[in-house]
Amino acid sequence: MNGKFGGKPATGTPSMAWSTVVVVVSLLSGASVVHNIFKPDLTLPLMDGSNEAKMQQPSKE
């Protein structure tokens, strides 16, 4: 069977590397498209001063 087609047997390593590259590029481009369409608000909410002061003081337990 090996002699019928000739050539080297495939190892699969380059194919796996290219598949990984394609998957990563696909995920990044998909995220870019979604963020350009939906434009999510990624800002963090501001903390008011009273909560910040309470967090800095040790509790009296």
Side-chain angles (χ1 to χ4, degrees), residues 9-55:
T11 59
T13 306
S15 176
M16 182 65 130
W18 277 113
S19 296
T20 304
V21 169
V22 168
V23 166
V24 170
V25 169
S26 175
L27 288 172
L28 291 176
S29 62
S32 176
V33 168
V34 167
H35 278 258
N36 284 330
I37 292 173
F38 292 109
K39 298 192 187 320
D41 181 20
L42 299 176
T43 58
L44 295 173
L46 295 174
M47 293 180 62
D48 55 340
S50 62
N51 280 343
E52 192 173 324
K54 288 179 184 176
M55 291 174 83

